[in-house]
Each structure stands twice: as C-alpha cells, then as structure tokens.
Amino acid sequence: MSVYQSAPTPESSAIIAKDFDFWYGDFHALTGLDVNIARNKITAFIGPSGCGKSTFLRCMNRMNDLIEGTHVSGSMSLDGNNIYAPGVDPVDLRRRVGMIFQQPNPFPKSIYENVAFGPRLQGVTSKSDLDDIVEESLKRANLWKEVSNQLSKDGLALSGGQQQRLCIARVLAVQPDVLLMDEPCSAIDPTSVQKVEDLMAELAPEMTIIIVTHSMQQAARISDYTAFFLQEVAGEPATLIEYGQTDAIFTSPMDRRTEDYITGRFG
Amino acid sequence: MADQSTQTDELTSRERIKRALSHGKAGRISKDTSNKVMLGVFRAAAYITTLVLVAIIAYVVINGLPHISPDFIFGWPEGVNAEGGIWPTIVSTIYVTALAMLICTPIAVLAAVYLAEYAKQGRLVNIIRYAADALASVPSIVMGLFGYALFVEAMGLGLSMLSAAMSLALLMLPIVMRTTEEAIRAVPRYIRWGAYGLGATKWQVVSKIVLPSAFGRIATGIVLAIGRAIGETAVVLYTMGQAINMPITPLDSGRPMTVHLYLLANDGINMNAAYGTALLLMIIILAFNLFSRYLSRRSR
Amino acid sequence: MRKLFSRQLVEARHEMLSIYEAVDLTLHDAVTAFLTSDKKLANKTKKATLQIDARCANLEAVCYNLIATQGPVASDFRLLQTIIYIDFNLQRMTDKVRQIARAAKHKVKADIQLPAELNDLILREADCVYRVVGSSISALVNNDMSIVCGLSDQDEPVHQIYEEFFRTYNRMSAPELSDDSSYDDLRRTIMVSRYLDRTASISIDAACRLTFLLTGQRLTASDLVDIDEDELESMRVPSGEGVVLDPKTDAQYVAKLPLDEVGEQLRHLIESLNDDDEVDADDGEVVATEE
C-alpha cells in the first residue's frame, strides 16, 4: 500500500515499527505502519493536519499512555526491544526517548532548575555534578553563551526561541538516544528556527532525531529521510503513504498523493 | 445609481453586497446616540456599586474609628463584656481560623489533586464536583447546626475551638477544593508533558511541577476562604460558644469577633464598641484580600 | 491552491517551447540564407538570434526567481530544473545558428561558391537536423519519452552527412585564394556543417532532460541507449499540472513549425489547431480589431 524509496534497512534503524496500529478509544487512528527509523539520522514526518503523524511520534515514547482509552497493536521496537512489551516501564522509556513540543514549555522555575530537573529525577544530587550537567547541556543546546550569567532567571523570562532551546537542553541533560520533536519550530520566530535547525544538524551524528513539521522546506532542508502520512477518508485510520530518502521524496515522489501534498496542490 | 437598479440581475455579488450595506444604514437611530445612552447606563451602574461600598465603609469608619485605641484592641472586656477591650475575641477569631485552615487545606488540596490528576474523568468525578459546589452554597446557619450536632454533641467536643474550626473547615472545603482544582487544571498540559517526557512519574509531575506551578492560585483560594471564615457568624455561634475566654488548647471555648459584634449590637448597650469591632473585622478581611491579590499577582 | 505559482510555471514552460520554436525557425532561415547566399536574410537571422538570447536570459531569471521565492519541490522543482537546463541549451543552439548566419554573410562577402555537391550535402544535413529539432520539440510537447529514445537514431544520419561533407571537401582540390582573410571566410563557410551537427546534438541533450522531468532520474542520451521504452515508461512518477499539461495548449506555442518535421502526434495537434482557427475566425478578427 505504501511506497518505500530507499528507506533505511532494519540493521541501520534505531526504531522499527511493524504492522503498527493505534486507537484512541474506538477511533482507529493509525493503521498498518511499517517504518524503520534510521539511527543517528534526522527523519521528518510530514502530512496534513490530523494525519496522525504527531500521534505516531507520541507512540514512540508511549506518551499516548497518558491519554485514557488508547491502545496499540503490532510492534514497535527501540534497539531491538519491543517498547510495548509487558514489563516495559514507560517512565524509563521516556528518559531514553526525549521529546520537544510545539509550544516551548519551560517549567516555571529558574533556567538552572529547568535543566537540572531531569538529572534530579534520576537522583543526581551533587551540586558539582548538576553544575556540570547544566553547563554541558546548555552548551550543546547553543544556549550557554546567552544565559550563562543569568542561570537563576526564570525560564519563562526568555524569548520563545530561547525557551525552545532551553527545553532541548533540558532533554539533552538526561542523555536520550532518541529525540522526538513535535513541530518544534511552529511557535518561534524565523531566526530562532534557524538556530534550532543548526542545533539539530549538530546533534544528529550522535542522536536519532524525528521531527514532525508542517514546513516542507524545513523537512527538505534538515532531514535525511521523510515519511508522508495521510488520512484519506475522514473517520478512517491514517497511514503511511510514502517513505524514503528526503532527496527522493522531494524531487520525485512516487505517489500521486505525496506529489500533490508537497507541491501544495492538496485536495 | 438608476442605471444599476435597472440591471439588477447583471450586478456582481460584490456590487449587491455594497448596495445591501448602503441600504442597511437608512432608518436607524444614529450610532452615536445609542452609544452615548448605553455608556450612561453602564456608568450609572458602576457608580451605584462603588457608592454603596464607599457608603458602608464610610459609615463604619466614621462610627468606629473614634473608639479604636490600643486599649480597645489589646484590653480585656469589662462590665457586662460591653466595655473595655476585645482582645480575647480577636485571639479567638484568629485561633479558630488558623485551625480551620490547617484542617481544611490538606484535605481540600489532596481531594483536588485526586479529582484533577488521578480520578478517571467521568460520572463519579462530576458528582463529586457538583457536591462540592452544592456544599459551598449550603447556608452557613445550616452548617452551624450540623457542626453543633456532629462535633459538639455527637463527638462530644463541646463548644470549643476545635468544633468551630472543623465546622468552618467544612465551609472552606469546597472553596479551596474548587479553586485548587481550577489552579491545577490551569497548569498547561505542555508543561506536564515536558516533565513526563523527561521520565518523571505521575507523582513527580504533580509534586514537582503541577503543585508548585499552581501554588499562587491555590494560595489565593485559601486566603479567600480564610476571609470568608473570619467573617462567619452563624457557624461559630453554634460551635464555639459565647464565653469571653482566652483560648489556649483547641478544646477551650471562646467568643469570636463576629459573635461579639452580634451580641453588642443585639443588646444595644455599647454601639460604639460594636462599630469599633466591625471596623477591626473589616480591616482584617481587607488585609487578607489584599494579601491574596498580592499572591496571585506574584505567581503570574 | 497555489494558483499563481502554477500559472507562472505553465507560462515558463510555454516560453521555453516558444523559444524552441523560434530557434528552429531561425535555423531554417540561417540555412536558407547560407544556401541561397542571401545577405539580407542572414542579417535578419542574426538579429533574431540576439532576440532569442534575450528571451533565454529572461526565462532563466524567471526560473531562478521562482525557485528563490516559491520553494518548489517535486514535479514543480523538476520542471524548473528542466526548463533551466533546456533554456541553457537553447542558448547554445542559438549560438550555432548565429554562426551559420555569420557564415552566410562571410560567404556572400567573400563571394565563395560551394560546389553543388557540398551544397547538396549541407541541404541534406540541415533537413535531418530540422527533424531532430522538430522531434525534440514534439517529445517535450507530448511528454513522449519514446521520441527521446529515438533521437539518437535520428542523429545518426546528421553525423554521417557531416563526416561525408568533410571527406568530400578534403578530396576536392583546395582553391587558390588571394589572401588570409579569404581563407578565414572559407573556413567559416565549410564549418556550417559542423555547426549543424552540433545543433542536433545539443537539441538531443536538451530533450533528454524530459526523462528527468518525468521520472526524476538524471539520464543522459548515452544512458537511454541501454534502456528500452517500456522500462522508461514504468519509471514515470506522478507530476503536477505544470508538467502534465494539456498538449493541445502546448502545441499553440510551437504551431509555426513545419509540419513534416515534427512528430506525428504533434502534427495532428497543430493541424487540429489550424482547423479550430478557421472555425474561430470571427474571434480572431475581434482580437485583431481590438489590437
């Protein structure tokens, strides 16, 4: 049903979904997803609103467990282990699979405490360890220069783009293997978008990044692989239409629907 | 114009809309007039409200202020308790209110956390919420009677600070619970998700993120409830007694300011002392209101 | 959605076809001027090539502008890349046409009379080149990759005649000329055969980009030799309206081409256009009077 253009092989993949289906209560939201997410690459999920791309993203760190009445079928594995197997603790999983949201969401605490939050949850108490983690994480998020002399300032006092990078630093502080980004740039100004994109490119060599985006240009600019999701009929489950290397998807999509969507002639 | 009307069917929709709009103007009271009239009405309503408030405060201040002195505030009542100071009643009021707050807050906040975070949203939660709202609207005299029957009589606590505090806590409970629940719900889900995304457990999210974020609004709710409790008369009348007494243990009885005021005014022996008490009561409540404003401002 | 952008894409495509047509017609004129030693026509042709150059430059600017402002992807982007590439090759072809026109002028100036045998070879070679260019245009109008596959076969006779021309020329005894400039003029004259040969090759290069437009694969003329038509057809990917346009509309922009030099499908299209013109003659008059 779906088209794969030079999609990653299972061997080079960090996350592998097989025949994955997802339900919100009675509503069958996603069906028949077979996706390999390449390790230490950037993968972009594109598709119109309501096509389930964010839902699928949240399946990868079991964030959907927080919503009542959701359930899945099929398998989703991270480094070969099914994350929906009984006995898997979603809390541990979420530490390994960090997430950035559309709305920058710093905690109403100081910049320092925001970044130290994750390590503290894991029982890091030594002040000097925390100092190191905070500095290192803020540096990796390219935010250190801007905030190093105001670490006790409220995180909410930063600009939108800085807040988003603070959130990235906060996630980096717990050393995740995978970074899920749900439209991370749709609520921040263009300059900040550039900074976040630069940051993603810097992180990618050592981290599997998946980004949901509504900007074709952004997907084309930063991602190595692109997956196009679509819910064709309202009320029916959405599915993967086309998946493969970003160059291929954006120069010569194999599926008519992908072509129509990315060229902006959808519907 | 004439030209246009003769070829109506050839008009574009844009022209038709323009014509409809221009016709719409005719035959109506001018916008200016209606604007001015309504502005006057709104202003009058606002002035009346303010005027009533100012009148009450001025009346109490004018009558009460001359009577207020350090002796009046810190002195012990004399004669038939109508002369002298009102210190024991002030202490009783603050004592009972603080005790009520200590009893009410943990229960209300925990209940609110349960309702907002843990309980499966559905019928039961709605019923609990509705019950809380209904509880808030129970007349205080009924609450007083209930407190008398349960705490004073059935539980044998007698007319005491504890009986009164528990009854007042019943009164404060729905207010604090509902404001706390609102406050918790007002914490953006994005912030919770952020914490979950870092591998926090539910309890960690609630205790480290949600409650601290909601603290300002919760505190505001508590302070408002306290303000209400201080001004409460009927409940304490039935559960604390009327004896002038300096309460030490929770089982001591006492006479709160509101009851003292009621008795003074009822007997009409010393109206000046009544006004003085009323003024002090108003000042205390005003102080609490300002404090809650300060808290809610600061938390933003 | 994106109506304006779609229109701009279609306009760019039409301009490309129209320039292609102009190059073809100018080529005819240049060769005619050369064979008939018509200096006036040669001058006119040279001026026409300069105009074509200006149109090419403009089209190129339009395409880059669209890329910069619209962020095209998929078929839109392939179309713009294709147009830019073909536009570039049209400039090269125009350059060859101009050189032929210049050769015609020099031929007249130096009063060089080519032997009938060579004249005939040029005529035959030019005929073959017209067909290659005509087929290239037909392929683009009809999005027909089978024509593209056949182009190298059509190029074969061009190349043969070109080689034959020089063989023939070399066998002839070299004429004694009075001075160096006369030798230069002679060289230019006989180079026309080479220019014609190059024109055909460049046209094939340009037309081969059609395969990229339709399949997303960058295939050169030499790659196409190894691929059969069915395989090529199966590689087609979906395309937007800028690419798969109604060929009839496209045909309007190349309607002046000589009918016997274009592909069969395009010939039918142009013929049906002409039929329509006769039917719509009234409309045509109205337009004319308005102007």
Side-chain angles (χ1 to χ4, degrees):
Chain A
M1 184 155 169
S2 18
V3 183
Y4 295 89
Q5 285 203 54
S6 51
T9 59
E11 295 75 45
S12 62
S13 300
I15 297 176
I16 298 175
K18 274 209 188 84
D19 197 21
F20 189 86
D21 281 42
F22 179 83
W23 287 263
Y24 286 111
D26 294 335
F27 176 60
H28 194 174
L30 292 168
T31 189
L33 298 178
D34 286 303
V35 185
N36 299 336
I37 304 291
R39 189 188 313 281
N40 299 348
K41 299 275 182 210
I42 302 177
T43 304
F45 288 177
I46 58 170
S49 301
C51 69
K53 53 194 191 302
S54 293
T55 302
F56 187 51
L57 193 74
R58 287 199 299 270
C59 287
M60 292 178 174
N61 65 349
R62 294 186 58 174
M63 211 63 165
N64 286 321
D65 289 15
L66 301 174
I67 301 168
E68 282 169 29
T70 58
H71 65 284
V72 304
S73 78
S75 79
M76 169 102 72
S77 61
L78 173 62
D79 293 331
N81 305 311
N82 188 356
I83 61 172
Y84 282 91
V88 172
D89 183 359
V91 172
D92 290 341
L93 174 70
R94 286 180 205 133
R95 194 194 58 69
R96 294 185 57 201
V97 184
M99 190 156 192
I100 303 292
F101 301 87
Q102 178 177 11
Q103 203 66 40
N105 57 349
F107 303 135
K109 297 170 183 283
S110 70
I111 292 170
Y112 183 94
E113 284 303 319
N114 262 285
V115 182
F117 184 83
R120 275 192 209 278
L121 287 183
Q122 290 180 52
V124 180
T125 48
S126 145
K127 170 82 176 139
S128 64
D129 285 353
L130 283 174
D131 285 353
D132 285 349
I133 293 174
V134 169
E135 181 174 343
E136 173 66 22
S137 306
L138 286 171
K139 276 180 178 162
R140 282 180 81 192
N142 291 341
L143 192 61
W144 179 250
K145 276 187 199 143
E146 289 156 68
V147 301
S148 59
N149 53 1
Q150 43 178 348
L151 290 177
S152 57
K153 201 167 137 188
D154 195 330
L156 289 164
L158 296 172
S159 77
Q162 288 176 323
Q163 287 187 19
Q164 194 61 295
R165 277 179 288 146
L166 175 60
C167 294
I168 294 174
R170 195 173 69 186
V171 171
L172 294 180
V174 295
Q175 298 285 336
D177 305 325
V178 180
L179 186 59
L180 308 177
M181 307 180 99
D182 191 354
E183 293 181 44
C185 297
S186 56
I188 58 180
D189 62 283
T191 318
S192 303
V193 171
Q194 296 298 336
K195 287 186 179 157
V196 170
E197 288 181 4
D198 287 350
L199 180 54
M200 289 170 69
E202 284 165 32
L203 294 174
E206 51 202 50
M207 198 177 279
T208 304
I209 299 178
I210 306 170
I211 176 173
V212 166
T213 177
H214 273 132
S215 158
M216 297 307 123
Q217 305 306 325
Q218 186 174 52
R221 269 199 303 271
I222 57 175
S223 69
D224 301 298
Y225 293 93
T226 298
F228 172 57
F229 293 80
L230 184 65
Q231 178 192 32
E232 279 199 280
V233 187
E236 294 287 304
T239 192
L240 183 70
I241 300 294
E242 188 161 358
Y243 179 43
Q245 282 185 349
T246 300
D247 298 354
I249 299 275
F250 281 99
T251 16
S252 46
M254 307 281 274
D255 194 289
R256 166 106 248 154
R257 295 163 291 188
T258 317
E259 157 82 30
D260 285 349
Y261 177 70
I262 62 177
T263 56
R265 298 195 178 80
F266 189 73
Chain B
M1 204 51 216
D3 201 290
Q4 270 187 14
S5 54
T6 51
Q7 0 172 305
T8 317
D9 46 0
E10 284 183 30
L11 290 180
T12 64
S13 63
R14 201 174 143 166
E15 284 165 337
R16 273 201 324 253
I17 291 169
K18 264 192 185 161
R19 211 180 45 170
L21 288 177
S22 64
H23 283 186
K25 276 184 204 144
R28 283 177 52 195
I29 307 169
S30 89
K31 279 185 217 154
D32 250 20
T33 319
S34 55
N35 245 349
K36 278 183 184 149
V37 168
M38 286 321 290
L39 184 64
V41 171
F42 293 137
R43 277 215 178 120
Y47 287 148
I48 289 172
T49 313
T50 320
L51 210 64
V52 170
L53 182 69
V54 169
I56 294 172
I57 292 175
Y59 186 72
V60 174
V61 168
I62 289 166
N63 286 299
L65 200 57
H67 202 74
I68 288 187
S69 64
D71 279 350
F72 178 71
I73 298 173
F74 298 109
W76 197 269
E78 290 162 12
V80 283
N81 293 333
E83 305 289 327
I86 57 166
W87 180 238
T89 67
I90 296 177
V91 172
S92 295
T93 291
I94 292 173
Y95 194 120
V96 78
T97 310
L99 198 57
M101 188 190 85
L102 286 178
I103 296 169
C104 156
T105 307
I107 299 173
V109 169
L110 291 178
V113 167
Y114 173 75
L115 281 188
E117 291 285 334
Y118 285 89
K120 198 172 148 88
Q121 301 300 311
R123 223 196 173 116
L124 181 68
V125 169
N126 282 337
I127 290 174
I128 295 176
R129 212 168 278 145
Y130 185 74
D133 288 345
L135 191 63
S137 58
V138 169
S140 58
I141 187 96
V142 176
M143 203 66 95
L145 270 175
F146 177 76
Y148 180 78
L150 183 65
F151 304 124
V152 178
E153 293 289 325
M155 292 173 67
L157 296 173
L159 294 172
S160 64
M161 290 295 141
L162 190 57
S163 301
M166 290 205 283
S167 308
L168 281 178
L170 284 182
L171 199 78
M172 290 161 72
L173 195 65
I175 304 174
V176 178
M177 195 185 90
R178 290 294 269 143
T179 48
T180 304
E181 199 193 337
E182 298 293 320
I184 290 175
R185 283 184 195 285
V187 175
R189 55 190 180 143
Y190 272 117
I191 290 187
R192 290 154 207 267
W193 285 353
Y196 283 120
L198 292 171
T201 61
K202 184 144 204 167
W203 170 239
Q204 285 169 328
V205 173
V206 171
S207 62
K208 296 207 159 102
I209 299 297
V210 175
L211 287 181
S213 309
F215 174 77
R217 295 179 63 165
I218 296 176
T220 309
I222 293 173
V223 171
L224 280 176
I226 288 173
R228 167 119 198 251
I230 289 177
E232 188 48 58
T233 314
V235 172
V236 283
L237 185 65
Y238 281 109
T239 52
M240 197 195 278
Q242 303 173 12
I244 297 283
N245 185 26
M246 181 62 86
I248 307 295
T249 73
L251 290 174
D252 291 344
S253 76
R255 179 193 282 191
M257 293 170 81
T258 46
V259 173
H260 187 60
L261 173 62
Y262 167 73
L263 291 174
L264 287 178
N266 217 23
D267 297 348
I269 313 167
N270 187 346
M271 283 312 279
N272 285 335
Y275 283 121
T277 311
L279 182 57
L280 278 181
L281 197 57
M282 268 175 42
I283 289 170
I284 293 175
I285 293 173
L286 183 69
F288 269 104
N289 273 325
L290 290 177
F291 185 52
S292 84
R293 269 176 72 110
Y294 166 73
L295 280 181
S296 66
R297 282 247 175 102
R298 212 192 54 168
S299 70
R300 242 185 300 120
Chain C
M1 275 185 278
R2 300 197 77 178
K3 269 190 195 161
L4 175 66
F5 178 46
S6 289
R7 207 175 65 215
Q8 288 168 326
L9 281 177
V10 169
E11 279 169 7
R13 180 193 170 93
H14 287 161
E15 176 66 4
M16 171 191 81
L17 289 172
S18 175
I19 294 175
Y20 221 138
E21 180 197 56
V23 171
D24 187 317
L25 296 176
T26 318
L27 176 67
H28 280 80
D29 287 349
V31 172
T32 312
F34 178 81
L35 291 175
T36 58
S37 298
D38 183 343
K39 193 175 177 191
K40 214 169 144 198
L41 184 59
N43 267 327
K44 197 184 126 208
T45 310
K46 199 181 150 195
K47 272 191 196 122
T49 60
L50 294 175
Q51 278 170 5
I52 294 174
D53 276 349
R55 285 175 74 185
C56 284
N58 183 49
L59 178 59
E60 187 180 322
V62 166
C63 290
Y64 281 119
N65 192 25
L66 285 177
I67 290 174
T69 53
Q70 298 283 3
V73 290
S75 64
D76 296 347
F77 194 33
R78 294 201 307 273
L79 178 61
L80 285 172
Q81 291 183 52
T82 306
I83 293 177
I84 289 172
Y85 184 82
I86 293 178
D87 182 69
F88 165 69
N89 281 297
L90 286 173
Q91 293 187 50
R92 293 171 67 199
M93 285 165 72
T94 311
D95 186 51
K96 300 292 172 245
V97 172
R98 186 158 48 235
Q99 282 172 328
I100 296 173
R102 219 177 264 156
K105 276 169 71 179
H106 284 282
K107 186 175 164 230
V108 175
K109 195 180 94 191
D111 195 24
I112 299 170
Q113 296 296 330
L114 281 186
E117 200 180 353
L118 291 185
N119 241 349
D120 186 50
L121 279 172
I122 294 279
L123 185 63
R124 274 169 53 208
E125 185 181 2
D127 254 353
C128 295
V129 175
Y130 298 155
R131 275 169 225 285
V132 169
V133 177
S135 299
S136 304
I137 296 175
S138 310
L140 292 174
V141 170
N142 293 315
N143 284 331
D144 188 341
M145 288 191 287
S146 63
I147 299 183
V148 177
C149 288
L151 280 177
S152 52
D153 290 343
Q154 279 189 292
D155 191 33
E156 206 58 31
V158 177
H159 205 63
Q160 278 168 9
I161 298 171
Y162 158 61
E163 284 170 346
E164 193 188 337
F165 178 88
F166 274 87
R167 275 198 304 273
T168 315
Y169 175 74
N170 285 334
R171 276 200 293 272
M172 288 179 176
S173 53
E176 286 294 324
L177 291 171
S178 54
D179 57 30
D180 286 355
S181 77
S182 300
Y183 276 110
D184 275 352
D185 290 334
L186 179 64
R187 177 183 53 79
R188 286 176 205 270
T189 309
I190 56 175
M191 279 301 275
V192 165
S193 175
R194 173 67 181 154
Y195 299 149
L196 284 171
D197 179 58
R198 289 303 302 140
T199 307
S201 313
I202 297 169
S203 180
I204 291 171
D205 265 359
C208 278
R209 269 303 151 106
L210 181 68
T211 55
F212 170 70
L213 178 63
L214 298 178
T215 68
Q217 312 287 324
R218 286 171 200 278
L219 301 169
T220 61
S222 51
D223 293 334
L224 287 173
V225 176
D226 305 326
I227 303 176
D228 68 309
E229 276 171 39
D230 295 338
E231 201 179 331
L232 206 54
E233 277 304 311
S234 69
M235 285 159 66
R236 263 190 203 244
V237 290
S239 295
E241 58 208 274
V243 176
V244 284
L245 197 71
D246 173 23
K248 202 167 169 183
T249 327
D250 275 1
Q252 290 174 4
Y253 293 85
V254 295
K256 288 189 215 129
L257 292 177
L259 288 179
D260 55 341
E261 289 164 10
V262 298
E264 196 177 342
Q265 259 183 300
L266 181 55
R267 182 161 63 240
H268 291 312
L269 280 172
I270 295 177
E271 275 166 1
S272 68
L273 278 178
N274 294 337
D275 293 348
D276 287 354
D277 277 356
E278 280 158 29
V279 176
D280 299 341
D282 298 344
D283 293 351
E285 272 172 28
V286 172
V287 171
T289 50
E290 271 175 6
E291 282 168 6

